[in-house]
Amino acid sequence: MILAAHQLTKSVPTLDGELTILSQVSLALNKGDSLAIVGASGSGKSTLLGILAGLDVPTSGEVILAGENLSTMDEEGRARVRAESVGFVFQSFQLLPGLNALENVMMPLELHGVVDAKDKAEMYLQRVGLTHRLHHNPKQLSGGEQQRVAIARAFASEPKVLFADEPTGNLDSVTGAKVIDLLFDLNELNDTTLVLVTHEQRLAQRCQHTLQLDAGCVVSSSLASDAAVECV
C-alpha cells in the first residue's frame, strides 16, 4: 500500500458555525495505481488532494503515505515526506518565469542534491518532446509546452506518488489529450501512483479507479468496498 486515508474529516469554523468540507473519506492505493477524484466545484476535491499530499491536515482521520503517518507529523516532517515521495502537476503550471525549461526541471533536483541533475532534466524533457525548447523561458512556450515542462519536472524527481490538480484545465482539447497521454505513458514507465483531480471525463476514464465526492462525502467509488466509506 503506497497511499491510504482513513476516515478523513475536514471542518473549518465560519460565522454561521462549523463548515464540514470532507466527511469520513477513506481510500487505499497500491504502487502504480491511478485514481481520479471527481465531483462538482465545491465538493471537496482539492481539499482531499491537499490532505493526501500533506499540504493540509485533516480535522480528524489519518493519511499514510509511503509508509509514513502524515497525521502525526508537523509541517517540517510532512515537507520531508513530500520531498522524498511526492510530485505535483498543477493547472497553472507554476513554472518560474526567470528560468528556462531546463533550469525549471533542474532546480528541484539540485535542491535535493541530485548529482546528475542536468542530465536527468534533459532526459525527462526529451521524454516529453521538448528537446528543442530547453533554453526557452515559460513566456516563450505555449500552454501545452509549459505543462509538459511541469510534467517533466514532476517525474524527474521519480516520485512514488504524483498528485495532479486539473492538469488539463488550462489547455485546449487537442493539447489536453496529448498531455493526458503523456501523463499515463510516464506513469506506466515509472510505475508511479497517480492521484488526479479533474472535471474531464476522458481523463477520469483513463484512471483505474474513480472516487466521486458530493459536499465532502464519497457518493461513489470503484475502489475496493473496504477502502471507501460513503456518508450521507
Side-chain angles (χ1 to χ4, degrees):
M1 200 72 62
I2 191 66
L3 177 64
H6 305 290
Q7 299 287 296
L8 293 181
T9 295
K10 179 70 174 181
S11 300
V12 295
T14 71
L15 293 176
D16 297 321
E18 192 171 71
L19 172 65
T20 298
I21 302 172
L22 291 175
S23 182
Q24 301 181 58
V25 177
S26 298
L27 58 88
L29 295 171
N30 293 314
K31 184 179 180 182
D33 281 354
S34 55
L35 170 69
I37 302 171
V38 300
S41 296
S43 60
K45 303 186 301 299
S46 292
T47 298
L48 176 57
L49 190 81
I51 292 173
L52 294 175
L55 295 171
D56 194 4
V57 293
T59 305
S60 62
E62 64 178 14
V63 174
I64 310 297
L65 174 60
E68 307 245 28
N69 190 335
L70 300 184
S71 307
T72 64
M73 296 179 177
D74 58 15
E75 172 52 30
E76 183 177 349
R78 294 194 303 275
R80 175 186 58 79
V81 175
R82 290 196 300 271
E84 293 173 352
S85 302
V86 171
F88 294 98
V89 176
F90 299 98
Q91 179 177 351
S92 57
F93 317 137
Q94 295 199 0
L95 302 179
L96 295 175
L99 302 181
N100 63 33
L102 179 61
E103 292 164 341
N104 264 285
V105 179
M106 283 176 59
M107 189 185 71
L109 298 175
E110 291 177 328
L111 290 174
H112 296 150
V114 176
V115 176
D116 58 343
K118 184 173 184 291
D119 291 340
K120 182 169 283 190
E122 287 180 344
M123 179 182 71
Y124 274 92
L125 284 166
Q126 180 182 15
R127 287 181 178 176
V128 301
L130 289 178
T131 304
H132 62 301
R133 296 292 202 184
L134 297 182
H135 304 293
H136 288 68
N137 290 337
K139 66 181 181 181
Q140 298 172 305
L141 302 173
S142 68
E145 288 171 333
Q146 290 184 64
Q147 191 62 297
R148 281 190 278 162
V149 173
I151 290 170
R153 180 182 59 190
F155 277 102
S157 62
E158 299 177 351
K160 295 172 184 172
V161 184
L162 178 72
F163 294 94
D165 194 352
E166 298 287 359
T168 59
N170 282 339
L171 306 176
D172 63 79
S173 59
V174 174
T175 304
K178 293 178 181 178
V179 166
I180 290 170
D181 287 342
L182 182 58
L183 272 173
F184 284 93
D185 287 346
L186 289 174
N187 161 241
E188 183 176 358
L189 181 65
N190 290 22
D191 201 23
T192 301
T193 301
L194 289 180
V195 181
L196 313 171
V197 164
T198 184
H199 284 96
E200 282 210 51
Q201 189 67 22
R202 60 180 175 172
L203 178 51
Q205 289 174 341
R206 290 285 296 271
C207 292
Q208 294 168 309
H209 306 289
T210 58
L211 185 146
Q212 184 174 3
L213 294 176
D214 183 19
C217 292
V218 177
V219 293
S220 68
S221 173
S222 66
L223 293 162
S225 59
D226 61 347
V229 177
E230 297 186 8
C231 59
V232 294

